[in-house]
Amino acid sequence: MRPVETVSRTIDSYRPVVGDAAVDTLLEAARPLRGLRVMHVNATPDGGGVAEILQAAVPLLCDLGLDSSWTVLSAEPEFYDVTKRMHNLLQGADGQLSDLDRRRWADWQELNATILPADVDLVVVHDPQPLGLASAAGGGAARWIWRLHIDTSHPDRDAWRFLRPYLEPYSALVFTLDQFAPPDVPDDRVRVIAPAIDPLDPKNRSLPIGTALSKLAGLGLDARRPLIAQVARLDPWKDPIGVIDAYRLVRGRHEGLQLALLGATEADDDPEAVEVARAVRAHAGKDPDIHVLTDPALIGDLEVGAVQLLAQVVFQKSLREGFGLTVSEAMWKSTPVVAGRVGGIPLQLQDGQGGFLVDSVEEAAERCDWLLSEPARARAIGAAGRAVIQERFLITRLLADELTLYREVLASREQQALRPRPDRLAAAG
Ligand code: UDP
């Protein structure tokens, strides 16, 4: 386990964005939880939506008076090969986990659990990678919450059967949508909380236009020409190939059209990304107007923010998606989004309010073409999108939901019985 340092933030600095009432309500809700030692655990300190949320939520919980910390798993690269496959299987992909995969996964839970800090009241475990920590730690005095960020409505049965016993020690199981909870999960422990973006993160703050233009130029993009873009890890579920195909269907109708695909490949838990980057580049061929940008040193928060702000259309053409923070990020910048009608995306985006939902490459191209051809109507749609994010998808709403969850879990009178570990259950037959 490795602690992650975060940059401190103050809740008061959110008053101009979310209003005094929202901040005062949060301060009130946090009062009974002051001093509570909450540790968040996930697989990676950067790359992907979970890290994005924790970078803001952990220091804000501290500012609200909780003793909040963030720790990531330590493991060998092979562990992340297993967990990437596990992630894909849980989202419904084909494949399987071998006995060695299962053993490797379980061994790293045990190893990490031996160095788990003891002085914690509440542990919030994110996603499947560290799920087994609660069992490996043998319960202990802390309460445990599992927060799953992906779409597990139709998990691979075998993979789910393997993971299912590890849910036992958790007091609450948190999903982004009710329908993401697999059918055999106990209803009384299911909670639903939608993710949210941090409006004060450098990528989401309002960027002076001069800075945005120079960031765009730094990426080799020409602000005088139309630009469409997708910002997403290079992962087949995000369908970067489909985005290129949609671009090809519209480029003939929009002179000088450029496509930018931003997908920094640095996430420790995403070894597949390098392979996908190669396939995406091959698919892009020699088209000088397709920019596949993967170098993390080049794509910082300001570059992401500038692209989301200045693109005429942002894609999130996912085929599966837990939530897709990138949809909210672009909508917050009033940029119209064309996104897959999957997972948590329709929670944020509805047709005409921030962009359009699509089911195919052809539909994506059609909506993109229309938005490029109708700039005034595209602007109105983008503005409606920002209002949705303001109301429902900013970090202060997420923190309020988290505090309610912590209070509920701590208040549940029935002390968590120390349950046998799944491996023991299995051994007992
Ligand atoms: N992101 C980024 N640079 C990239 C690709 C993605 O900063 O090159 C960020 C993106 O802005 C968002 C997060 O990574 O904040 C991705 O979260 P999302 O929920 O969209 O997808 P996930 O990667 O968790 O599946």
Side-chain angles (χ1 to χ4, degrees):
M1 310 282 286
R2 285 181 289 142
V4 182
E5 295 294 324
T6 53
V7 179
S8 67
R9 294 171 199 230
T10 66
I11 198 67
D12 277 333
S13 57
Y14 289 73
R15 289 182 185 275
V17 189
V18 300
D20 287 335
V23 171
D24 291 339
T25 307
L26 266 181
L27 287 165
E28 198 54 44
R31 203 181 308 264
L33 296 172
R34 283 207 181 136
L36 185 77
R37 296 164 302 181
V38 186
M39 183 171 72
H40 288 263
V41 184
N42 80 321
T44 176
D46 41 41
V50 179
E52 196 73 26
I53 291 170
L54 293 177
Q55 270 150 18
V58 169
L60 283 170
L61 287 169
C62 286
D63 193 56
L64 285 165
L66 284 73
D67 182 355
S68 157
S69 61
W70 175 11
T71 303
V72 291
L73 285 181
S74 307
E76 61 186 350
E78 288 77 6
F79 171 82
Y80 298 105
D81 288 337
V82 175
T83 57
K84 182 72 203 193
R85 241 169 319 119
M86 197 178 255
H87 171 107
N88 289 339
L89 286 165
L90 291 177
Q91 291 211 124
D94 290 335
Q96 59 184 19
L97 298 173
S98 67
D99 288 346
L100 176 64
D101 292 339
R102 291 164 200 235
R103 215 167 33 247
R104 185 167 268 149
W105 182 83
D107 284 351
W108 281 103
Q109 310 296 319
E110 298 278 344
L111 271 170
N112 278 278
T114 59
I115 42 174
L116 203 62
D119 50 351
V120 177
D121 303 306
L122 197 59
V123 188
V124 186
V125 170
H126 295 261
D127 283 335
Q129 299 95 333
L131 169 65
L133 278 181
S135 301
R143 290 304 186 91
W144 292 74
I145 294 172
W146 189 43
R147 197 333 172 192
L148 188 64
H149 296 264
I150 60 177
D151 176 352
T152 41
S153 44
H154 301 97
D156 172 82
R157 280 176 49 193
D158 204 35
W160 181 246
R161 201 173 304 128
F162 168 65
L163 289 179
R164 174 72 181 72
Y166 291 95
L167 301 185
E168 277 307 311
Y170 289 90
S171 302
L173 311 168
V174 186
F175 298 87
T176 295
L177 286 177
D178 202 27
Q179 59 263 39
F180 284 2
D184 58 348
V185 161
D187 274 354
D188 58 334
R189 283 193 272 158
V190 170
R191 298 288 179 278
V192 175
I193 298 181
I197 61 164
D198 176 12
L200 297 190
D201 188 278
K203 81 168 54 143
N204 294 323
R205 275 174 181 276
S206 64
L207 209 54
I209 191 71
T211 312
L213 287 170
S214 79
K215 293 291 168 194
L216 212 63
L219 294 176
L221 301 166
D222 183 347
R224 290 161 303 181
R225 290 162 51 193
L227 171 67
I228 59 180
Q230 174 159 296
V231 177
R233 283 184 299 106
L234 287 172
D235 176 325
W237 297 117
K238 310 278 185 184
D239 199 15
I241 300 282
V243 176
I244 292 177
D245 291 342
Y247 153 83
R248 287 196 170 128
L249 290 174
V250 295
R251 74 175 159 193
R253 292 199 285 276
H254 301 279
E255 206 190 324
L257 186 65
Q258 311 159 90
L259 169 65
L261 293 170
L262 273 65
T265 49
E266 63 180 343
D268 293 347
D269 65 341
D270 200 0
E272 205 183 8
V274 178
E275 203 45 53
V276 180
R278 206 169 293 138
V280 169
R281 285 210 169 85
H283 196 68
K286 293 204 169 10
D287 186 336
D289 293 322
I290 302 180
H291 301 257
V292 183
L293 303 164
T294 59
D295 180 359
L298 199 66
I299 320 169
D301 285 342
L302 296 184
E303 284 74 16
V304 168
V307 167
Q308 290 171 331
L309 177 70
L310 295 176
Q312 277 71 43
V313 176
V314 163
F315 283 98
Q316 189 54 59
K317 221 207 121 325
S318 304
L319 305 170
R320 287 274 197 294
E321 190 60 77
F323 182 71
L325 285 179
T326 47
V327 173
S328 281
E329 288 168 3
M331 287 169 72
W332 179 241
K333 295 165 187 100
S334 302
T335 302
V337 179
V338 171
R341 191 192 310 276
V342 291
I345 291 178
L347 193 63
Q348 313 165 61
L349 176 64
Q350 276 160 24
D351 284 341
Q353 279 197 304
F356 294 102
L357 294 167
V358 298
D359 294 299
S360 66
V361 166
E362 292 71 24
E363 214 182 329
E366 206 176 292
R367 293 302 198 179
C368 174
D369 181 27
W370 186 85
L371 287 163
L372 289 170
S373 310
E374 299 276 353
R377 288 157 86 181
R379 262 197 302 282
I381 285 173
R386 179 173 168 101
V388 172
I389 305 308
Q390 173 84 49
E391 199 182 323
R392 295 174 50 207
F393 296 109
L394 296 183
I395 190 90
T396 38
R397 192 272 306 147
L398 174 60
L399 291 172
D401 289 348
E402 290 267 320
L403 294 175
T404 304
L405 172 70
Y406 299 171
R407 278 207 312 273
E408 265 179 39
V409 164
L410 295 167
S412 59
R413 247 176 287 127
E414 193 193 276
Q415 258 302 327
Q416 195 78 32
L418 204 68
R419 293 183 168 92
R421 292 165 18 179
D423 49 346
R424 308 250 161 90
L425 276 178

